[in-house]
Amino acid sequence: MRAARQRGARDREIRDIFSFCSDPATLDGIAWYLCYLTTGKHMAFYVSFGTVLLLLAITAPAAMAFGFGGAMAARSRIPPVSWLGKGYIAIVRGVPDIAFFLFFVIALDQAFEWTRHQVLCPDWDQPVRQGNDFVVCDAAKLPLGNAPQWVHELYGFGVAVLTFAIVFGAFAANVLYGAMRAVPRAQIETAEAYGLTRRQAFRRIVVPQMWVYALPGLSNLWMVLIKATPLLFLLGIEDIVFWARELGGAKTPRFTDYPHGDWRVWYFLALLVFYLVFTRVSEIVLDRVMARLSRGQATAAGEAQRKAA
Amino acid sequence: MSCWETIADYGLRSIGIGERLLPRSDFTLCQQFVLIGSGLIWNVYFGVLALSAGFFLATTVALGKASSNPVARTLSTWFIFVFRGSPLFIQFFFAYFAFLSLKSVSPVFDPFTTAWAGALVVLFLNTAAYSGEIFHGALQSIPRGDTEAADAYGFHGWAKFRKITWPTMLRLAWPAYTNEAIFLFHATTLVFFSGFPAWQQRGDALYYASYFADKTFNPFVPYPILAGYFILLTLGIIGLFGLVNRRLNRHLPSSVRPKVRFRPNLIR
């Protein structure tokens, strides 16, 4: 309700700036495009770019956390824990990622509802799966049936973030596992000679040194993560792909003040350019970070820097 | 209905042979196995054709990127950048709507608005760009001694490329190219979720898996079946590419031959 009122206020503000937009039929040329590109729906389209960036900002650290956990589990000396870590890495990477997205969105949702069902409705006697239906008691529904719209949207977004984190966590786990093993063995042996325990050596020697080995893999992963963001559309989020399809479709004068033909190809061209710029900028930034991290390291890149100086 | 009848009805359903209607209720495990497996025909179709055609374009693009001709170099670099720098999902959407607009210009573009041709073009260009980058990297790391020896023996032009440069490039690139092939097969699952319509519900493996998941509201059966099929497919690719790898490195003693390892750390 409040969101709707705010949106109304925002639209009014925009209309005040572009007061000449009040009668689109009379417009032509640049003025028409100016008005067309500032309609309320276009504003929602621009905001959805923010959704993509927000997803990246939340997913990247979450995937790193999953990855760190997975890598530590895979390194564990307790066999079942190690199997768990290695299995997580192998299974998620061996199957098409999109299948995982489609699977986890339903599976996570059902897992949450089933758990709540067990806790909240202990005296429910019917089975949860009845034929083709998944039935839990009303109190266990997520989000609750009477929840406002924004809770539904937030819940959808949360499940999407968790799905991304699980899938990309496996990739990050693989990179970090490799990086931890790449730290020269002599470093750990020296730490042990100084009487550090295994845990201390891990925290003070392995973790600080592994980043330079992990960065090429992690920057590759970042690129992959950027390019996976359009899959949000498949998880039912109103993201840039959703809006590009929505706004680009042919519009007749009956339903809109701004009739136009099928412009979806131009909207997707814009998305293509957006992603190209985004990946290119990321590439340049990550190259700089790599150069900075290689300084003084005993790697080929560090050696090259020393010779050049 | 026995499972054999289901196989007869739905085994080739994805290419339009057999029972027209998909099962609507009382889904059996057999139906799920058969239909998802039937959809796999499309994944193999897209993967095999895109890969075998893309191989040649990839070689061309890699040579172009490494050439001294500025026009060829710029073109190849941009081609690789555009297809590697943007999501495949967006490329599919863009291509579909582009072909849809071109359809009104000329009927030549009619088949490209359907998946079998349109999506194949996108996958072909996409894999050409990714493998082109791999081949280019391999070209750059051909040992200088090899080309010097070729020069010393009087090899030049086409003969030098055919006998020395190209086989060495393939040898160096093969493990990475194997992973690219695996990922291309995984990427084929995107086709029917990205604009290209599944005509008469003839879709790929993931299309049928998500059909069952939607109908039964139970993702725990169809998706693991799909995963199983893809793991088998992946193992098949590794086996096949391993054979080629052995042939490429047949002059080396077996202990120093590079192994093809399943190391998938690039998605589109």
Side-chain angles (χ1 to χ4, degrees):
Chain A
M1 196 61 183
R2 192 147 117 244
R5 211 178 302 140
Q6 274 174 353
R7 205 174 307 134
R10 202 171 58 210
D11 282 358
R12 252 196 313 286
E13 254 171 57
I14 291 158
R15 233 175 291 139
D16 285 345
I17 303 168
F18 299 103
S19 51
F20 55 89
C21 293
S22 52
D23 189 9
T26 62
L27 297 168
D28 56 353
I30 294 175
W32 189 90
Y33 280 104
L34 212 56
C35 294
Y36 172 67
L37 291 174
T38 50
T39 55
K41 278 196 170 182
H42 272 86
M43 289 302 162
F45 177 47
Y46 305 140
V47 169
S48 66
F49 282 92
T51 311
V52 168
L53 297 182
L54 186 69
L55 175 89
L56 280 172
I58 301 174
T59 311
M64 280 295 282
F66 271 90
F68 211 85
M72 273 172 52
R75 264 172 70 89
S76 168
R77 277 184 300 183
I78 309 161
V81 179
S82 163
W83 294 334
L84 196 74
K86 284 180 179 156
Y88 167 55
I89 295 174
I91 291 177
V92 176
R93 293 187 324 153
V95 176
D97 52 338
I98 168 181
F100 262 96
F101 285 124
L102 296 178
F103 169 75
F104 271 121
V105 161
I106 314 180
L108 282 175
D109 187 52
Q110 292 188 350
F112 291 150
E113 288 196 341
W114 185 82
T115 315
R116 280 169 60 94
H117 178 82
Q118 298 295 323
V119 174
L120 296 174
C121 314
D123 41 348
W124 186 273
D125 53 357
Q126 285 160 356
V128 171
R129 268 195 202 290
Q130 300 174 5
N132 292 337
D133 287 316
F134 183 83
V135 185
V136 292
C137 61
D138 286 339
K141 287 229 171 71
L142 261 180
L144 293 172
N146 54 2
Q149 178 62 24
W150 67 267
V151 175
H152 283 269
E153 284 176 14
L154 194 70
Y155 177 71
F157 188 75
V159 172
V161 166
L162 196 56
T163 308
F164 267 73
I166 291 173
V167 173
F168 286 96
F171 287 84
N174 184 41
V175 170
L176 293 179
Y177 180 63
M180 285 173 189
R181 296 212 305 181
V183 172
R185 181 86 197 110
Q187 295 281 341
I188 300 164
E189 277 168 10
T190 312
E192 276 165 2
Y194 276 93
L196 268 64
T197 62
R198 215 178 119 86
R199 186 171 301 178
Q200 281 175 323
F202 177 71
R203 216 179 56 225
R204 299 198 185 156
I205 308 295
V206 175
V207 173
Q209 287 192 50
M210 71 179 199
W211 296 111
V212 72
Y213 300 102
L215 196 72
L218 289 182
S219 46
N220 183 24
L221 197 62
W222 170 253
M223 298 294 184
V224 168
L225 189 59
I226 292 177
K227 287 189 269 171
T229 48
L231 298 180
L232 265 185
F233 169 69
L234 295 178
L235 310 188
I237 310 287
E238 294 189 359
D239 75 329
I240 47 183
V241 179
F242 171 84
W243 282 113
R245 277 165 58 109
E246 190 81 3
L247 293 167
K251 302 276 191 315
T252 55
R254 242 183 15 168
F255 297 108
T256 170
D257 294 336
Y258 301 93
H260 61 74
D262 189 350
W263 284 359
R264 284 176 293 189
V265 59
W266 303 113
Y267 278 90
F268 278 100
L269 184 65
L271 292 192
L272 209 64
V273 172
F274 165 73
Y275 276 106
L276 285 177
V277 172
F278 197 8
T279 47
R280 186 79 195 116
V281 169
S282 301
E283 212 169 60
I284 293 169
V285 171
L286 287 168
D287 278 352
R288 293 231 172 121
V289 173
M290 189 63 202
R292 179 73 193 78
L293 275 185
S294 298
R295 205 174 289 170
Q297 288 282 345
T299 57
E303 195 64 30
Q305 279 182 356
R306 234 190 320 281
K307 284 207 181 113
Chain B
M1 200 161 76
S2 80
C3 198
W4 286 115
E5 286 169 47
T6 310
I7 292 176
D9 283 350
Y10 291 119
L12 297 172
R13 172 64 179 76
S14 65
I15 49 174
I17 300 170
E19 182 66 36
R20 177 82 195 278
L21 290 173
L22 291 183
R24 303 211 160 266
S25 56
D26 306 323
F27 304 95
T28 62
L29 205 58
C30 178
Q31 282 173 337
Q32 307 206 13
F33 262 106
V34 171
L35 257 179
I36 294 172
S38 157
L40 210 61
I41 295 172
W42 278 112
N43 296 97
V44 173
Y45 162 82
F46 284 126
V48 168
L49 284 190
L51 210 58
S52 41
F55 177 80
F56 294 99
L57 184 60
T59 313
T60 317
V61 167
L63 286 176
K65 197 176 175 181
S67 89
S68 50
N69 180 343
V71 178
R73 203 172 51 228
T74 317
L75 275 178
S76 313
T77 311
W78 271 92
F79 174 76
I80 291 178
F81 168 63
V82 166
F83 279 96
R84 288 183 78 227
S86 62
L88 179 65
F89 197 50
I90 301 286
Q91 289 167 22
F92 274 133
F93 270 116
F94 175 71
Y96 176 63
F97 293 125
F99 287 135
L100 215 55
S101 317
L102 287 171
K103 203 175 164 179
S104 57
V105 178
S106 155
V108 176
F109 292 103
D110 267 2
F112 291 101
T113 51
T114 52
W116 70 267
L120 187 61
V121 168
V122 178
L123 283 168
F124 157 65
L125 294 175
N126 191 282
T127 187
Y130 275 88
S131 345
E133 181 67 22
I134 293 172
F135 288 163
H136 176 250
L139 268 183
Q140 301 299 81
S141 42
I142 290 179
R144 207 166 54 195
D146 288 20
T147 45
E148 276 170 3
D151 288 337
Y153 276 95
F155 277 103
H156 56 85
W158 170 249
K160 181 181 168 190
F161 174 75
R162 174 68 191 80
K163 297 279 177 202
I164 310 293
T165 317
W166 194 60
T168 315
M169 176 193 92
L170 283 186
R171 220 169 1 251
L172 292 172
W174 207 254
Y177 189 60
T178 308
N179 281 315
E180 158 60 24
I182 293 167
F183 260 91
L184 181 74
F185 274 94
H186 286 188
T188 56
T189 52
L190 269 177
V191 170
F192 291 104
F193 287 85
S194 57
F196 288 103
W199 185 61
Q200 291 184 344
Q201 294 185 310
R202 299 176 189 175
D204 75 329
L206 186 63
Y207 176 84
Y208 289 125
S210 84
Y211 172 84
F212 283 120
D214 283 351
K215 291 281 184 224
T216 61
F217 208 58
N218 179 2
F220 297 98
V221 177
Y223 289 120
I225 294 175
L226 177 83
Y229 275 126
F230 264 93
I231 288 169
L232 288 182
L233 191 62
T234 305
L235 290 178
I237 297 167
I238 292 180
L240 210 64
F241 275 66
L243 285 181
V244 178
N245 189 48
R246 213 160 67 192
R247 164 133 188 110
L248 283 172
N249 291 297
R250 65 192 181 282
H251 60 294
L252 294 176
S254 64
S255 58
V256 292
R257 277 181 205 164
K259 292 257 166 29
V260 170
R261 281 191 55 218
F262 179 41
R263 204 186 296 118
N265 48 10
L266 30 90
I267 329 179
R268 295 133 208 274

